[in-house]
Amino acid sequence: MENFVVSARKYRPATFRSVVGQQHVTTTLQNAIVSHHLAQAFLFCGPRGVGKTTCARILAKTINCTNLTPEAEACNECESCRAFNQNASFNVHELDAASNNSVEDIRSLVEQVRYAPQAGRYKIYIIDEVHMLSNAAFNAFLKTLEEPPSYAIFILATTERHKIIPTILSRCQIFDFNRIRVEDIRKHLRYVATQEHIAAEDDALHLLAQKADGGLRDALSMFDQMVTFSGHNLTYKDVVQNLHVLDYEYYFRLVDALLTENLSAALLLLDEVMQNGFDLHNFVVGAAEHLRGLLVCKDTVTVQLLEVSEGIRARYVQQAQASPLAFLLSALNLVSQCDREFKQAKNQRLHVELTLMKLAYLNGAVQFARDLGTSNGHATNGEAKKKTSVETGAPVASAPAPVPSVPVVGAAPAVESAPRVAPPVAAPAPRPMAPPQPVAPRPVATVSAPAAPEESVPVESGVEELHETPSIEDEEADIPTVHHQVVDTSPHVDIGAPSVAGHEPTTTRLPPPPPGMQKPLPTTAKLPGLASKIPSLKDLKAQVTQQMSAAKATPVADDEPSGPVTGLPVIDEEVLQKAWNDIKEDRRAQDRMSEYIVLNRPVTVDDQHVIRLAVDNPIQIDQFNAFRSEFLTELRQRTGYPRLNVHPVLMEQAPTARKLYTSADKFEYLADKFPILLDMKQKLGLDTDF
């Protein structure tokens, strides 16, 4: 039986021209060989399976070839090329740094570098997975790597460039290998299938190229596996079944169901995906990629961004034409949100099903939002017209005047009340005031303002008060008494006179004016000057501070009489104790633990109905005083003794005994009780520390 060789080794590139997808690297190396500009060290970086070691071997073979072709390729005919092809070349040394990563291995390598090649011009050292070397090995390799002999060339290969120390990177020419494009991998797979006489569908090869994730070696390994599974006829269905991947068909069916708002079909499709053993998270990620593909296919210019086969691309374009752009954008947003929150979800299937429910009725929601926006636009226009008509048809008076009782058609009957004067602060803007003149009431034909003069003008009328305007009319509400005199003697620009001169606020209620007459305004009254009549925050703060100081200076009368009271009934201690315990447990049930802790202690009562409450510290006295009035009221109601009073008493703390921590303290304590221990210590020469 003939030994089978995997395709990754059988079809490994032997020349620069046959390297797939790394033309920027191969062209640079060929030019360096032709111009004899070879560096002493090369570093090949890139993902797995993209040709790093292959290019290193091709470079080592080509620079020792004695008969180069015009394209700077090895001839495969000279002695050096034949020895290399038979793995018998003494000028090419490969070292696996993963298993030779110590300083001793590098020291052995440095010893080999001292010897010149027996045949050929260069000795090439290929060190694969160089990032596995230890820091000590890297440091031991620095000098040789920087100044090697003229015949020595080092080629380092790694998949993790960031693990190599910067001193090594600075001594090498660095080549970054790219991931191989899907189309290049598909073409190479087609070449291998032709050489092996295997009939393969383009969709199957394209799917293999996508699953390889830019690595040609992975693609060839999966190709060998598929050929072993399906024989010499490789189909797309076999690849999907064997690789256990989510087919495009699932997502095409899903989008069709969502566009027709068929929620049942979408949920059944999700159940089918789970029954086939696929991961829900992979399904969500695939759905997002599918929606992105549909969004790309909405424009013919961006169709080329979709890396699929021609048949699948045609289906994408067809479904994209039937999908509204608003649906695709909103659906992609919802699916991306589901992807972000998937790992935090407790019930992940329900999380995905909720997303499908939203997607199923997304078209209807978008249309409803559009209709709602259109209707709101019409309503807004109507309200604007109504607002404009109110503003132009109802002039606003500069100062409100008392409105006589005029029956208005369609209005509610006004309630008779004492004649009141409207505050003059309803004026929209301050104006200079003339001396007051008696104004006769005039009938109002059309009433556009509210009946009560105190109410503010509605917002629809175009007048909106941003803050509450102070009133000079004395109300019945409590007004804080200000013990200072406000004097504004600065002349105003508009009238050249002080707004208020020596006004002292008072709580005396002014007599109301006769009915039908408007209250005359003071000659110096002015709207901006009203602020001087209102106490500032600083004045109010000073007043509150003064009141608090007076309250502290005034002694508080205690509930307990100054002298002993005779004739008080004898207190039933059982009733008192029961009421006390009930109140205490109520505090505990209400989660008022600080009060419970204060009350949870023994109490005594004397013949004067005074309860002595023993507390531990002054803090508990302050805590009890905080709820004392409430507690006494409840205790008196429950016991029926209205003269009960509670006095907290601070308990005397017992002297704290000395704490014995060290052995010296313990010895001193015992020596005080037994003096003979001192004599024993001196005679025996003992020590307290042990």
Side-chain angles (χ1 to χ4, degrees):
M1 182 177 180
E2 184 180 358
N3 292 332
F4 173 73
V5 181
V6 296
S7 300
R9 291 180 56 192
K10 185 176 181 180
Y11 295 96
R12 190 168 199 164
T15 60
F16 286 120
R17 184 178 181 182
S18 59
V19 176
V20 179
Q22 307 296 343
Q23 283 74 20
H24 64 291
V25 176
T26 57
T27 302
T28 304
L29 294 178
Q30 285 176 303
N31 293 336
I33 294 173
V34 172
S35 60
H36 301 286
H37 288 171
L38 290 173
Q40 83 276 7
F42 298 91
L43 177 61
F44 293 166
C45 309
R48 68 181 189 278
V50 294
K52 299 183 297 297
T53 307
T54 298
C55 286
R57 291 179 179 178
I58 296 174
L59 178 62
K61 174 183 175 181
T62 305
I63 60 180
N64 272 332
C65 180
T66 59
N67 188 20
L68 289 176
T69 63
E71 294 83 9
E73 296 282 3
C75 65
N76 290 325
E77 296 177 358
C78 63
E79 183 179 355
S80 176
C81 291
R82 290 197 303 267
F84 183 85
N85 292 336
Q86 296 172 4
N87 295 327
S89 176
F90 292 101
N91 295 334
V92 179
H93 303 273
E94 288 196 32
L95 178 67
D96 181 20
S99 56
N100 301 277
N101 56 3
S102 64
V103 178
E104 294 297 330
D105 298 321
I106 296 299
R107 185 178 292 116
S108 175
L109 177 64
V110 172
E111 291 293 333
Q112 295 180 17
V113 173
R114 295 181 180 180
Y115 301 101
Q118 297 178 356
R121 290 175 292 178
Y122 298 101
K123 289 185 70 173
I124 297 95
Y125 296 90
I126 302 175
I127 305 178
D128 205 359
E129 302 297 333
V130 70
H131 65 274
M132 298 296 292
L133 289 178
S134 62
N135 286 333
F138 273 128
N139 293 326
F141 190 40
L142 282 177
K143 192 62 178 178
T144 304
L145 187 66
E146 183 177 7
E147 297 179 356
S150 59
Y151 51 81
I153 293 179
F154 295 96
I155 304 177
L156 313 179
T158 179
T159 57
E160 300 182 26
R161 171 181 170 180
H162 60 279
K163 292 185 177 181
I164 301 177
I165 60 178
T167 51
I168 293 291
L169 296 176
S170 63
R171 290 166 169 79
C172 302
Q173 278 191 4
I174 302 175
F175 292 87
D176 290 319
F177 284 69
N178 301 329
R179 293 185 183 272
I180 305 176
R181 297 190 304 116
V182 175
E183 187 62 23
D184 293 338
I185 297 178
R186 187 195 65 80
K187 290 180 180 179
H188 189 72
L189 292 178
R190 173 60 64 188
Y191 166 76
V192 174
T194 303
Q195 295 296 322
E196 296 292 331
H197 306 287
I198 296 174
E201 297 180 0
D202 284 341
D203 292 344
L205 298 179
H206 205 286
L207 183 58
L208 290 174
Q210 281 186 320
K211 292 293 293 181
D213 194 21
L216 186 58
R217 183 172 59 227
D218 295 347
L220 291 172
S221 299
M222 288 188 293
F223 176 80
D224 292 341
Q225 181 182 354
M226 294 302 103
V227 171
T228 305
F229 172 74
S230 60
H232 285 65
N233 186 17
L234 188 60
T235 62
Y236 176 78
K237 183 178 180 181
D238 293 339
V239 174
V240 170
Q241 180 180 357
N242 192 267
L243 290 183
H244 196 65
V245 296
L246 277 167
D247 187 13
Y248 295 107
E249 188 64 30
Y250 287 109
Y251 299 112
F252 283 119
R253 289 166 51 193
L254 176 64
V255 174
D256 289 338
L258 297 178
L259 289 175
T260 57
E261 297 186 357
N262 191 350
L263 178 60
S264 301
L267 295 179
L268 290 176
L269 178 64
L270 178 64
D271 182 72
E272 180 182 349
V273 169
M274 295 187 62
Q275 292 297 331
N276 291 334
F278 294 107
D279 183 51
L280 275 179
H281 197 194
N282 292 337
F283 173 76
V284 174
V285 174
E289 294 178 356
H290 185 79
L291 291 172
R292 180 256 179 190
L294 293 177
L295 192 61
V296 165
C297 292
K298 291 293 289 183
D299 192 353
T300 56
V301 179
T302 57
V303 173
Q304 58 182 350
L305 299 177
L306 194 63
E307 295 182 348
V308 293
S309 61
E310 293 298 331
I312 302 298
R313 184 176 300 172
R315 293 194 61 184
Y316 265 103
V317 173
Q318 180 182 0
Q319 192 173 63
Q321 299 302 324
S323 304
L325 182 60
F327 169 80
L328 293 178
L329 291 174
S330 302
L332 190 58
N333 186 21
L334 288 175
V335 175
S336 299
Q337 181 181 359
C338 178
D339 182 21
R340 292 192 301 269
E341 301 174 355
F342 185 84
K343 292 184 178 180
Q344 287 76 23
K346 297 297 183 181
N347 191 344
Q348 296 177 342
R349 175 169 182 171
L350 178 60
H351 183 63
V352 179
E353 288 176 344
L354 286 175
T355 303
L356 293 181
M357 295 175 189
K358 296 177 184 178
L359 294 175
Y361 300 105
L362 189 57
N363 275 331
V366 171
Q367 185 62 33
F368 175 75
R370 289 177 177 175
D371 296 342
L372 185 61
T374 304
S375 61
N376 286 342
H378 293 316
T380 305
N381 293 337
E383 292 178 359
K385 293 179 180 178
K386 181 179 178 181
K387 178 178 179 180
T388 304
S389 62
V390 171
E391 291 177 352
T392 57
V396 181
S398 59
V403 181
S405 305
V406 179
V408 181
V409 179
V415 181
E416 296 183 359
S417 59
R420 303 181 64 182
V421 180
V425 296
R431 296 180 182 176
M433 293 295 182
Q437 298 294 335
V439 180
R442 56 181 179 180
V444 180
T446 304
V447 180
S448 59
E454 292 80 14
E455 298 181 2
S456 59
V457 183
V459 178
E460 290 80 7
S461 63
V463 180
E464 182 179 1
E465 294 184 357
L466 299 180
H467 57 81
E468 184 178 358
T469 308
S471 173
I472 63 174
E473 181 181 1
D474 298 318
E475 300 290 343
E476 294 181 357
D478 295 336
I479 300 177
T481 303
V482 183
H483 300 282
H484 73 285
Q485 187 175 11
V486 180
V487 180
D488 184 7
T489 58
S490 58
H492 289 260
V493 178
D494 50 354
I495 60 176
S499 58
V500 178
H503 176 73
E504 176 70 18
T506 178
T507 57
T508 306
R509 183 174 180 85
L510 298 178
M517 294 298 292
Q518 188 178 11
K519 181 179 179 180
L521 295 175
T523 56
T524 59
K526 190 178 186 304
L527 185 59
L530 294 176
S532 62
K533 300 181 182 181
I534 300 177
S536 62
L537 292 178
K538 183 177 180 180
D539 300 332
L540 293 177
K541 183 177 180 181
Q543 178 186 358
V544 172
T545 305
Q546 182 179 1
Q547 293 178 356
M548 292 179 62
S549 302
K552 291 182 178 180
T554 304
V556 181
D558 198 354
D559 293 341
E560 184 181 6
S562 57
V565 180
T566 59
L568 294 178
V570 179
I571 294 179
D572 189 351
E573 293 191 2
E574 294 183 0
V575 175
L576 175 63
Q577 195 66 33
K578 182 178 182 303
W580 187 283
N581 292 333
D582 292 344
I583 297 175
K584 176 183 66 176
E585 294 300 328
D586 291 344
R587 296 296 190 273
R588 184 177 184 180
Q590 297 171 6
D591 201 14
R592 298 160 66 174
M593 297 304 300
S594 60
E595 300 180 10
Y596 171 78
I597 293 174
V598 173
L599 298 177
N600 188 23
R601 54 191 69 250
V603 294
T604 58
V605 61
D606 57 11
D607 55 353
Q608 295 295 319
H609 290 201
V610 176
I611 301 175
R612 305 294 177 181
L613 176 63
V615 295
D616 299 330
N617 49 60
I619 298 178
Q620 291 183 345
I621 297 179
D622 296 338
Q623 292 178 348
F624 175 76
N625 291 333
F627 65 92
R628 177 178 181 178
S629 59
E630 177 188 358
F631 173 74
L632 282 178
T633 303
E634 189 174 357
L635 183 64
R636 290 168 179 174
Q637 291 178 354
R638 295 198 180 193
T639 58
Y641 300 112
R643 303 289 298 181
L644 275 178
N645 200 354
V646 179
H647 280 185
V649 179
L650 188 63
M651 295 177 59
E652 295 183 0
Q653 300 292 335
T656 305
R658 180 183 177 186
K659 301 294 183 181
L660 304 178
Y661 296 105
T662 63
S663 56
D665 295 340
K666 298 176 182 178
F667 177 78
E668 292 178 1
Y669 174 75
L670 293 175
D672 292 340
K673 299 181 66 175
F674 308 102
I676 194 174
L677 291 177
L678 295 174
D679 298 336
M680 293 178 59
K681 175 185 175 184
Q682 295 176 357
K683 292 180 180 179
L684 298 178
L686 300 177
D687 194 0
T688 56
D689 295 331
F690 54 87

